[in-house]
Amino acid sequence: MALSGLRCGEAIALNMDDLDFTTKNITVSKTYDANSKDINPTKTLCSNRDVYMQPELEKLCRKIRRFTLEGQMRYDYRTELFMCNVNGAHLSYYAYNKYLKELAQRVLHRDNVTTHIMRHTHVSLLAEAGVPLEAITRRVGHVDSDITRKIYLHVTKKLKEKDREQIRKVQIL
C-alpha cells in the first residue's frame, strides 16, 4: 500500500486478472468490506482506476503472485484472488492490520503504523518525488485534489528542505 496508494479493501479485493504485467497496471474496480465480508463497488466512481506499477511495485506484485500460486499448490486450493489466506479466501483486514502493527513495532519501533498510514506514506512519497498533485489525486482515486491536499498531503522534512532550497535561490540582485 505504501507503493501503490491502494486502500486495504481495494488490495484485498484484487484478483489475479486485475494485474497486467504487460501494461504494468493494476485495475482497481472493487473493494472488500471487512465487516460484511462482501465485495462491493469502490468507495467513489473516481476510485475506479488503473494504478501504474513502478519497478519496485511490479517486483513486489510478482513476488505476491508467485507466493499465492505456490500456496495453491502447497495447500491444494484454487483461487482467483491475488492475495489470500491459506484457504484461498480473502485476507482478514483485522489480522493483516494486527500483523502490520506488530511488525512495525518490532522492526521500526513505531506503534502507529496501520494499513491506512501506508496510504498517507504513499502520497507523501509521491509529493517528495515532485509528482503533481493532480496525478497523485488520480492515483489514489480521489474526486478532487482538495481531498488529497487536506487529508493526505502532510509536509515532510524532505518537502521542507526542497522548499528551503528553492527559497534560498531567490535573490534581488
Side-chain angles (χ1 to χ4, degrees):
M1 284 167 250
L3 288 171
S4 67
L6 268 63
R7 295 173 180 94
C8 189
E10 294 170 341
I12 290 172
L14 290 174
N15 290 330
M16 290 286 190
D17 61 1
D18 291 325
L19 285 88
D20 185 335
F21 290 98
T22 304
T23 62
K24 299 184 185 329
N25 277 322
I26 300 171
T27 300
V28 179
S29 61
K30 56 195 170 296
T31 191
Y32 178 72
D33 183 325
N35 295 321
S36 66
K37 298 185 177 165
D38 288 329
I39 298 294
N40 294 318
T42 55
K43 190 173 179 180
T44 66
L45 284 178
C46 290
S47 296
N48 289 329
R49 64 202 186 277
D50 285 335
V51 175
Y52 169 71
M53 286 187 273
Q54 68 274 28
E56 188 178 8
L57 177 57
E58 179 186 4
K59 184 178 177 181
L60 179 62
C61 287
R62 287 183 185 278
K63 275 185 174 180
I64 293 170
R65 181 181 66 171
R66 185 173 55 249
F67 183 80
T68 300
L69 293 172
E70 288 171 358
Q72 288 185 47
M73 290 187 290
R74 183 178 300 117
Y75 299 110
D76 194 31
Y77 61 79
R78 295 287 168 255
T79 185
E80 294 298 316
L81 295 174
F82 172 60
M83 301 183 296
C84 62
N85 65 19
V86 294
N87 299 316
H90 288 98
L91 293 173
S92 163
Y93 168 81
Y94 302 105
Y96 180 80
N97 216 25
K98 181 179 181 239
Y99 174 77
L100 179 64
K101 280 182 180 232
E102 289 170 359
L103 184 66
Q105 284 173 334
R106 197 170 56 250
V107 175
L108 303 173
H109 308 291
R110 292 192 56 192
D111 296 329
N112 62 343
V113 176
T114 64
T115 55
H116 199 71
I117 292 290
M118 296 288 99
R119 190 166 155 86
H120 287 257
T121 299
H122 183 68
V123 170
S124 295
L125 289 171
L126 294 177
E128 287 177 357
V131 175
L133 181 59
E134 292 302 322
I136 296 171
T137 298
R138 286 189 300 274
R139 183 162 174 99
V140 297
H142 286 154
V143 174
D144 61 54
S145 59
D146 285 345
I147 295 167
T148 309
R149 186 181 302 107
K150 289 177 186 171
I151 299 174
Y152 291 92
L153 205 55
H154 309 295
V155 178
T156 65
K157 287 180 183 177
K158 202 171 194 177
L159 284 173
K160 285 180 183 177
E161 287 172 19
K162 280 184 177 183
D163 291 346
R164 287 181 180 154
E165 184 60 35
Q166 288 176 329
I167 293 169
R168 199 173 291 124
K169 295 175 187 174
V170 175
Q171 300 176 22
I172 294 177
L173 300 175

